[in-house]
């Protein structure tokens, strides 16, 4: 006996419908194999919950191109999704269901592009039926970096931490 369920996809181009994160979840299903193989097809339905995001500098309103924008579900069905802003500072995130999402913008991953201090995440919610089309519009205003923080992360005993983590700073 096995449980068949869909894992939330990790999508780097949210506005396209090529990854699993674009589709609604389906209820887990218990299946029993009577032999060594079973073919089980599931029909997926594309999500119609959309978050339109604009990322701008707070001081001038200038659009920020290439900002990394993400939305993550706060315990609901939608999982996590991210993309980058276009030349007009706009991005579309299609999320996988109802619930509350935290939406944030960060400088481009891996450096390059426009540098800015990430703002506190913005909360949006979808409450309609799972099949109802809903759109939320979010404008994220960020501040220009005006300081540098130097240092290192260490274990409680003062030794260096292994690679693989990091630290962030957020603007209030």
């Amino acid at each position: 006996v096995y449980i068949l369920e869909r894992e939330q996809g990790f999508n780097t181009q949210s506005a396209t419908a090529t990854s699993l994160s674009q589709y609604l979840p389906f209820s887990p299903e218990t299946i029993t194999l009577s032999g060594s193989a079973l073919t089980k097809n599931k029909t997926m339905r594309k999500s119609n919950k959309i978050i339109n995001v604009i990322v701008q500098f707070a001081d001038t309103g200038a659009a920020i191109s290439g900002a990394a924008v993400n939305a993550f579900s706060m315990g609901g069905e939608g999982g996590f999704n991210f993309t980058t802003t276009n030349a007009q500072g706009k991005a579309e995130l299609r999320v996988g269901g109802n619930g509350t999402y935290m939406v944030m913008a960060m400088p481009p991953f891996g450096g390059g592009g426009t540098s800015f201090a990430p703002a506190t995440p913005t909360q949006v919610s979808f409450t309609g039926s799972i099949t109802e089309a809903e759109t939320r519009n979010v404008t994220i205003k960020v501040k220009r970096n005006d300081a540098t923080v130097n240092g290192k992360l260490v274990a409680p005993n003062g030794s260096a931490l292994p690679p693989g983590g990091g630290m962030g700073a957020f603007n209030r």
Side-chain angles (χ1 to χ4, degrees):
V1 176
Y2 297 87
I3 303 293
L4 179 65
E5 64 182 4
R6 178 193 75 119
E7 293 292 325
Q8 180 61 34
F10 187 72
N11 185 5
T12 60
Q13 292 300 317
S14 173
T16 62
T18 58
S19 78
L20 208 49
S21 57
Q22 299 294 301
Y23 296 90
L24 296 172
F26 56 83
S27 298
E29 179 180 346
T30 302
I31 57 173
T32 303
L33 292 176
S34 58
S36 62
L38 172 71
T39 299
K40 184 72 175 177
N41 296 323
K42 297 295 275 186
T43 301
M44 304 297 290
R45 290 188 345 232
K46 188 173 179 182
S47 172
N48 51 10
K49 308 298 182 186
I50 296 171
I51 305 170
N52 290 315
V53 182
I54 299 173
V55 182
Q56 303 171 324
F57 279 116
D59 59 352
T60 64
I64 300 176
S65 174
V69 178
N70 66 61
F72 52 95
S73 175
M74 301 301 293
E77 305 167 331
F80 175 85
N81 222 338
F82 82 96
T83 190
T84 56
T85 57
N86 64 18
Q88 293 76 41
K90 296 179 179 181
E92 177 185 285
L93 293 166
R94 187 177 294 272
V95 294
N98 282 340
T100 300
Y101 293 82
M102 298 304 285
V103 182
M104 66 182 300
M106 299 176 59
F109 296 117
T114 304
S115 181
F116 59 88
T120 302
T122 301
Q123 181 176 305
V124 299
S125 295
F126 293 101
T127 57
S129 73
I130 196 73
T131 57
E132 181 182 341
E134 293 183 273
T135 300
R136 301 291 180 261
N137 297 309
V138 175
T139 299
I140 300 174
K141 299 207 178 254
V142 298
K143 294 183 179 179
R144 296 174 191 277
N145 288 331
D146 60 3
T148 301
V149 177
N150 294 305
K152 62 181 177 178
L153 297 173
V154 295
N157 67 5
S159 65
L161 290 175
M167 184 172 72
F170 292 89
N171 222 353
R172 286 187 187 230

